Amino acid sequence: MMTADKEKRRAISREAARRRRRVESDVFGDLSRLLPLQPSIQAHLDKPSVIRLTLSYIRMHTVLKGSARTKAEASHTVKHGQAMEGAEDKTDLEKREQDRGQDKEERETEEAVEAMEETNMYLKILEGFLMVISTEGDMVYLSNNVSKHMGLSQTELMGHNIFDFTHPCDHEEIRNNIRLTAEEVLYGAKRDFVIRIKSALTHRGRSTNLKSATWKVLHCQGRAKVCVTPSSVSCLLLTCQPLPLSHTLLSTHTFTSQHSMDMRFTHCDQRVTGLLGYSPEELLGRSIYDLCHTLDTNRLTKNHVNLCLKSQSVSGQYRMLVKSGGYIWVESHSAVIPSVRPSKSRPGAHLPLCILCVTYVLSGVEEPSLQLSLDQTVHRYVS
């Protein structure tokens, strides 16, 4: 008798468990279908991924909610004002509202298509991807072209913490940049830093397993964003460009140079003469700091430190002195490389390192009468 009762209770318990699992699967299925993803991706999401992505989209919606709510309030105010004025016939008013609603829907559809096309164009020009990161380090949103640069899809990264994917030596720098004071949030403080992040892309552009991932250097630029809602959210909106960038825009306003690890010139191409007035021979053995505007030395030092630690960097905009007087605005993209290639005769020889720079000139000569270095003074008296 006892055995029969036990079996009956077990059967009831098993059926209840099956029912709970079935209900749970239905709930997760409904939830995954609500996510703005392609059906082929929705079908292959596991339960933790559904929860992770749902939370990310809720947080992203909260960030965008402030501006949307402001527009809605403005629209409501306009409609209320029109209603107060009215002495119009009710039927005519309903027809006009209906026509206006149809026009609005068509207009919104057209605007959405145009916005999507414009966004895709910006992402192509950017040579990078967009990332929204919370003050806790959670990657709230990444643009869908992240897979092109990192080998990892948007759904694989969204909702995860950036510290799980970045080099341990860069964690302190990331914390310093995502830590926002009230004043920085209020005025939209700018951020500009370089980090190393896991990349599942091989040198041939193929995707590999995350366990075999290598480090890729990212140049991150952006600003703080706050959404003033009942659940106020602060985050960073960043554009992320993998380094080195593809230098396909080399022109007469660009010059390349090679430096020792202390940033002394070991080689420079002829275009520097037309841009700065120095011959390549004059620059050999001299430090790039000799040509930098004093007020921009800290920016160049930060770029130098990034190069020594992470092998690649972008300087940001700084001023280089022109030999005849004044200065020009430039930006240097740099990488650490072996200065000589291994040979068959010396396969195990130690390869000294050097720094390769591609410098883009961003302006014409400013304040040409200003003398900021001894070189400029000597050139003026000699000429």
Side-chain angles (χ1 to χ4, degrees):
M1 183 69 179
M2 291 292 291
T3 305
D5 288 343
K6 281 183 180 180
E7 286 298 326
K8 188 176 180 180
R9 284 198 295 271
R10 283 175 183 170
I12 293 171
S13 178
R14 283 195 296 270
E15 181 58 33
R18 275 195 293 270
R19 194 180 301 113
R20 282 196 303 272
R21 285 195 296 271
R22 194 160 52 245
V23 171
E24 185 182 270
S25 296
D26 291 342
V27 169
F28 275 99
D30 293 340
L31 194 58
S32 66
R33 282 188 288 275
L34 291 173
L35 293 172
L37 300 170
Q38 296 176 0
S40 57
I41 298 175
Q42 292 174 351
H44 293 90
L45 292 176
D46 55 16
K47 292 175 183 177
S49 296
V50 172
I51 295 172
R52 173 171 54 82
L53 292 171
T54 301
L55 291 174
S56 286
Y57 279 111
I58 290 172
R59 295 178 77 174
M60 195 63 206
H61 181 264
T62 305
V63 172
L64 299 172
K65 194 176 179 181
S67 59
R69 190 175 63 173
T70 304
K71 289 178 182 176
E73 288 172 355
S75 175
H76 174 74
T77 304
V78 171
K79 287 180 181 177
H80 181 68
Q82 289 173 346
M84 293 293 290
E85 290 174 6
E88 294 184 280
D89 182 77
K90 188 176 179 182
T91 309
D92 292 342
L93 186 61
E94 286 177 356
K95 286 181 180 178
R96 290 184 185 182
E97 285 290 338
Q98 189 176 3
D99 293 341
R100 200 175 294 144
Q102 290 175 351
D103 292 341
K104 184 181 177 183
E105 286 180 8
E106 291 175 2
R107 192 162 56 249
E108 285 178 352
T109 304
E110 289 175 3
E111 287 175 358
V113 172
E114 288 177 7
M116 183 62 70
E117 291 174 353
E118 191 175 357
T119 300
N120 291 335
M121 182 186 69
Y122 287 150
L123 292 174
K124 286 178 182 177
I125 296 171
L126 178 65
E127 290 192 17
F129 57 92
L130 303 178
M131 178 166 63
V132 179
I133 182 171
S134 72
T135 50
E136 293 81 30
D138 295 326
M139 293 182 282
V140 179
Y141 175 79
L142 297 104
S143 55
N144 57 11
N145 67 330
V146 65
S147 58
K148 175 185 172 184
H149 302 283
M150 307 305 300
L152 299 168
S153 70
Q154 182 187 41
T155 52
E156 286 178 293
L157 292 170
M158 274 180 59
H160 282 296
N161 197 283
I162 195 169
F163 295 109
D164 297 334
F165 291 85
T166 49
H167 198 287
C169 295
D170 296 340
H171 287 183
E172 188 60 31
E173 184 175 4
I174 295 170
R175 286 191 191 96
N176 291 337
N177 278 284
I178 64 176
R179 193 181 296 128
L180 299 170
T181 64
E183 187 178 357
E184 286 177 326
V185 170
L186 181 63
Y187 293 104
K190 293 182 179 180
R191 289 291 187 265
D192 189 338
F193 56 99
V194 175
I195 58 172
R196 286 162 289 185
I197 193 167
K198 289 178 181 178
S199 170
L201 279 182
T202 64
H203 293 296
R204 295 182 179 180
R206 296 176 182 172
S207 296
T208 184
N209 195 296
L210 191 58
K211 292 180 180 178
S212 307
T214 55
W215 296 113
K216 178 166 278 193
V217 181
L218 281 186
H219 181 214
C220 302
Q221 292 177 294
R223 60 172 62 243
K225 163 81 174 175
V226 64
C227 178
V228 183
T229 62
S231 56
S232 186
V233 176
S234 299
C235 60
L236 286 180
L237 308 181
L238 299 171
T239 58
C240 304
Q241 294 178 303
L243 300 179
L245 300 175
S246 56
H247 299 293
T248 54
L249 300 178
L250 295 181
S251 66
T252 53
H253 297 290
T254 308
F255 67 90
T256 58
S257 56
Q258 193 168 302
H259 306 259
S260 56
M261 291 303 294
D262 60 357
M263 292 304 291
R264 293 186 179 276
F265 284 91
T266 57
H267 172 77
C268 193
D269 69 30
Q270 295 291 337
R271 282 175 291 195
V272 72
T273 305
L275 297 168
L276 295 176
Y278 297 95
S279 67
E281 293 74 22
E282 285 181 273
L283 295 176
L284 295 181
R286 296 188 60 181
S287 172
I288 196 170
Y289 290 99
D290 295 341
L291 305 182
C292 179
H293 194 291
T294 307
L295 297 178
D296 297 333
T297 304
N298 288 341
R299 183 177 288 276
L300 208 58
T301 302
K302 180 183 176 183
N303 180 61
H304 193 182
V305 171
N306 278 334
L307 277 169
C308 293
L309 295 177
K310 303 167 187 176
S311 299
Q312 296 166 359
S313 187
V314 173
S315 66
Q317 298 172 8
Y318 67 99
R319 288 163 284 190
M320 289 189 85
L321 305 184
V322 178
K323 187 176 181 180
S324 58
Y327 55 84
I328 56 175
W329 287 93
V330 300
E331 181 174 274
S332 297
H333 298 180
S334 314
V336 176
I337 60 171
S339 60
V340 294
R341 294 185 178 277
S343 62
K344 292 181 180 179
S345 58
R346 296 189 305 163
H350 174 68
L351 301 178
L353 299 175
C354 74
I355 295 171
L356 180 66
C357 293
V358 178
T359 301
Y360 293 86
V361 176
L362 307 175
S363 73
V365 179
E366 297 187 12
E367 301 189 59
S369 61
L370 193 63
Q371 306 295 303
L372 296 168
S373 72
L374 187 61
D375 284 336
Q376 292 177 326
T377 306
V378 170
H379 180 269
R380 167 164 287 193
Y381 283 111
V382 169
S383 59

